[in-house]
Amino acid sequence: MPLNRRTFLGTSAAVGAGAAMAGGSAVPAAADGHGRGRGRGRPPKRYSFTVMGTTDLHGNVFNWDYFTDQEFDDKDHNDVGLAKISTLVEQVRREKGRHNTLLIDAGDTIQGTQLSYYYAKVDPITARRGPVHPMAQAMNAIGYDAAALGNHEFNYGIPLLRKFEEQCDFPLLGANALDAKSLRPAFAPYVMKRLRTPFGRDVRVAVLGLTNPGVAIWDKANVGGKMVFPGLEEQAAKFVPKLRSMGADVVIVSAHSGTSGTSSYGDQVPYVENAAALVAEQVPGIDAILVGHAHLEIPEYFVENERTGRRVVLSEPLKWGQRLTLFDFDLVWEKGRWVVERAGSRVLNSNSVAEDPKITGLLADEHRKVVAYVNQVIGTSTAAMSTVEAAWKDEPIIDLINVVQTEMVREALAGGAYASLPVLSQASCFSRTARIPAGDVTIRDAAGLYPFENTLEARVMTGGQIREYLEFSARYYVQTPAGAPVDTSKLTNAENIPDYNYDAVSGVAYEIDIAKPSGSRIVNLSFEGKPVDPAAEFVLAVNNYRASGGGNFPHVAGAKQVWANSEEIRNTIISWVQAKGSVDAAQFASVDWRLTRDGVPVF
């Protein structure tokens, strides 16, 4: 993949060779304690600036939930969207002076809402004379300086990502997204920005972008044979010294990678998924890291570099435009160069401001189109269903996902070598607010069951492997002794396992004994009333995220794939409802699993 010359060469070539620089510092380094530079009798020159950062915007422009068709709200009363971020950004620019600020993002921009889906699939930006992506329009209007690539940027394929890149007035950075043949960066690795000071010598700020190695497995269908994704530490170690030699006074990394040092995909690829803290620890010369991917709020977190002892400041502004990170840098002029004297960070909450009418007005037509689209009626339902209790009960609304997946796989395998194998299906409670109402069912109702762009696969697994798969899934519950009170607000998400990494499997019956320790909870696993034979073969209908190693569930990534589909499961559900005309839970709902303690049902 060739580099985008407009975004990469145009912004970097003007920097010049510059003087060779030593590693950066995020601790006091220039004054002697009396406000004077070393060897000088007058106060040193000082300059301060601020870098603002967002991450994991996931297609949110408006403070709006397209699945509920109303203003966004959650239990913490967060707000979302670039329209809110724009207001915060303008406040900071007024306070600091626009010329003393930069604005960057850490990825996952073009997937996540029905707004972003609409302009990828319904009215795609890749069409001849197609529209400009709403996220490009909004980010251009706000004035972003750079954005790192997130793993979800690749969900809709490389052509759409390239079109989005073309529509942005700022570079998309990915120093570890390499062309598979040449092993050269397929996107701009970095951008160098100049900030003018009152003292003649500009401050040169380098922003290095790093994406997630998990792209190689999560979007294998889109990137396989085209791009490879080495580790963040490896590529940072290659580029940071280069940026310093080019004259960078400050080096900031925008990393679509969390801080935990863990990976959800086990050993599927040899690189760490959440490596931001490792980058700070192992690579000298970095001053700050804007963290993404993990959807956490980290106002300020310092990591000491193991080689230099200097501290690097990290910050993650939650997700969806709920927070804005501010990195504040204080520089001092010393020995003919700018040196970072102090660096710190904090976050601003977007629920403290109103939406910027400049942004909402800019995209009002796009918003109206998507609201009309998601409110199209596609069928009816005989009864209301919801996910309110689906995290701890076998609810009909999750059975709906599984019956759709099971029917699709059975039809696909009919007449083939695997047609005689029983089909099981996995599904997760992606959202605890999804619902199918009694009466009219709209696109947004059906789509709300599956907010991710996952596709469906069929993998062959044994009964013994299915048991281990279920045991792994059951780690999700907090061990609760028999007789002890059960508080559903504290029952789930043990070990910080997210809801989307708990799978319910249909086609078999089983109990999860939450009084037992993790690893020995699956009880009475049966198929058609008989204990499951560990050697028996089954076909598991499974989403591509799980099949590729997402969540690190055992066996499935290495299991034989006998079928795969490129259509999003969300669209398959919508088509199924349209074809049926009426959804009747009585025809497919059953209680196949339940939580127990010593054989006694919890609910």
Side-chain angles (χ1 to χ4, degrees), residues 4-223:
N4 185 316
R5 295 179 66 85
R6 174 178 63 83
T7 58
F8 175 44
L9 296 178
T11 53
S12 299
V15 173
M21 306 269 311
S25 168
V27 294
D32 64 1
H34 301 282
R36 298 188 301 271
R38 297 187 186 97
R40 296 177 182 269
R42 60 182 183 275
K45 300 171 183 176
R46 297 184 185 277
Y47 175 70
S48 298
F49 71 97
T50 296
V51 176
M52 297 172 282
T54 56
T55 192
D56 295 274
L57 293 169
H58 283 288
N60 285 280
V61 173
F62 297 84
N63 187 39
W64 192 260
D65 187 336
Y66 292 97
F67 293 134
T68 62
D69 199 25
Q70 61 188 2
E71 184 177 323
F72 178 88
D73 193 24
D74 62 15
K75 62 182 179 63
D76 298 318
H77 301 298
N78 288 303
D79 287 346
V80 300
L82 278 169
K84 291 269 185 171
I85 290 296
S86 182
T87 301
L88 290 175
V89 167
E90 289 307 310
Q91 287 182 355
V92 173
R93 285 172 174 163
R94 284 195 298 270
E95 176 189 349
K96 306 285 186 179
R98 186 185 183 99
H99 60 287
N100 297 322
T101 66
L102 296 173
L103 175 60
I104 63 176
D105 183 79
D108 275 6
T109 303
I110 58 173
Q111 174 278 336
T113 64
Q114 287 294 286
L115 179 71
S116 54
Y117 176 82
Y118 186 90
Y119 288 98
K121 292 291 188 177
V122 182
D123 186 12
I125 63 173
T126 48
R128 189 166 178 255
R129 297 180 181 175
V132 177
H133 200 289
M135 295 301 288
Q137 291 191 59
M139 295 174 81
N140 289 342
I142 296 170
Y144 273 77
D145 293 288
L149 294 164
N151 54 284
H152 283 288
E153 259 65 80
F154 296 86
N155 285 174
Y156 296 118
I158 293 173
L160 187 130
L161 175 54
R162 288 298 187 190
K163 187 64 177 180
F164 176 70
E165 179 188 28
E166 178 185 311
Q167 294 177 342
C168 291
D169 293 340
F170 51 90
L172 300 182
L173 307 178
N176 62 327
L178 309 182
D179 177 80
K181 293 181 179 178
S182 69
L183 297 183
R184 294 176 62 85
F187 296 84
Y190 58 85
V191 65
M192 191 83 79
K193 307 295 291 189
R194 290 176 180 263
L195 297 175
R196 190 168 299 280
T197 74
F199 307 109
R201 167 72 151 76
D202 293 348
V203 171
R204 296 170 181 176
V205 182
V207 180
L208 176 68
L210 297 169
T211 192
N212 205 287
V215 176
I217 55 173
W218 299 324
D219 270 299
K220 183 179 180 180
N222 291 326
V223 302

Side-chain angles (χ1 to χ4, degrees), residues 8 26 197 206 209 255 264-265 351 369 384 407-408 443 449 486 504 544 549:
F8 175 44
T197 74
S264 69
Y265 43 69
N351 71 8
K369 284 181 183 179
E407 288 184 7
M408 171 156 273
I443 285 178
L449 293 180
V486 176
N544 68 305

